[in-house]
């Protein structure tokens, strides 16, 4: 088998994952797209390892070993990422990336630098406890 077939498949997978990261607004879909990009890199590592092991007399399979480390890191990353997404979803009620900005950031809502107090339930709660 030629090296071009897995390389083209890897490029297609990586471009699909890159499109998912740039175009999606849901945090879980962004994490899935990052995983797709990591799998494309893993496919490339294994394909080049097999291709280079045919040329070398000693086969170290370092590409396959690096792929195993990448899979372990990706599993830890998806576990931590999902935990963060679930915690944000519990606090904010949404996993939409565009809506996850802090309400005290903008100049219209009494954020830092405007000099006006913030309005809303959080400000009323702060005044009630003070």
């Amino acid at each position: 088998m030629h090296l071009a077939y897995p390389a083209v498949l890897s490029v297609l997978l990586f471009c699909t994952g890159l499109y998912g990261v740039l175009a999606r607004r849901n945090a879980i879909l962004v994490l899935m797209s990052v995983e797709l990009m990591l799998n494309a890199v893993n496919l490339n590592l294994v394909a080049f390892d097999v291709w280079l092991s045919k040329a070398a007399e000693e086969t170290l399979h370092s590409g396959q070993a690096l792929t195993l480390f990448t899979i372990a890191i990706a599993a830890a990353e998806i576990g931590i990422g999902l935990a963060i997404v679930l915690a944000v979803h519990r606090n904010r009620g949404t996993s939409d990336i565009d809506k996850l900005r802090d309400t005290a950031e903008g100049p219209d809502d009494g954020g830092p630098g405007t000099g006006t107090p913030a309005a809303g339930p959080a400000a009323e709660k702060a005044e009630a406890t003070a």
Side-chain angles (χ1 to χ4, degrees):
M1 183 168 73
H2 293 104
L3 182 62
Y5 299 132
V8 168
L9 179 63
S10 172
V11 166
L12 290 175
L13 284 174
F14 192 85
C15 288
T16 304
L18 185 64
Y19 173 74
V21 167
L22 295 176
R24 300 293 178 180
R25 292 185 177 162
N26 191 350
I28 294 175
L29 291 177
V30 170
L31 286 174
M32 287 174 56
S33 297
V34 169
E35 289 295 319
L36 194 62
M37 290 168 57
L38 284 173
N39 285 332
V41 171
N42 288 339
L43 178 64
N44 239 353
L45 284 171
V46 171
F48 275 98
D49 181 52
V50 169
W51 183 65
L52 290 174
S53 69
K54 289 180 182 177
E57 293 179 9
E58 296 180 12
T59 57
L60 294 176
H61 298 295
S62 58
Q64 293 179 14
L66 188 58
T67 298
L68 289 176
F69 285 118
T70 307
I71 290 171
I73 289 171
E77 175 251 336
I78 201 69
I80 292 171
L82 282 176
I84 291 171
V85 168
L86 286 175
V88 167
H89 183 67
R90 284 183 187 161
N91 289 336
R92 303 280 175 104
T94 184
S95 63
D96 189 5
I97 294 175
D98 292 337
K99 295 180 182 177
L100 293 181
R101 291 192 172 168
D102 197 8
T103 57
E105 282 184 353
D108 297 329
D109 58 0
T114 59
T116 59
E124 293 172 7
K125 186 176 181 182
E127 289 176 11
T129 58

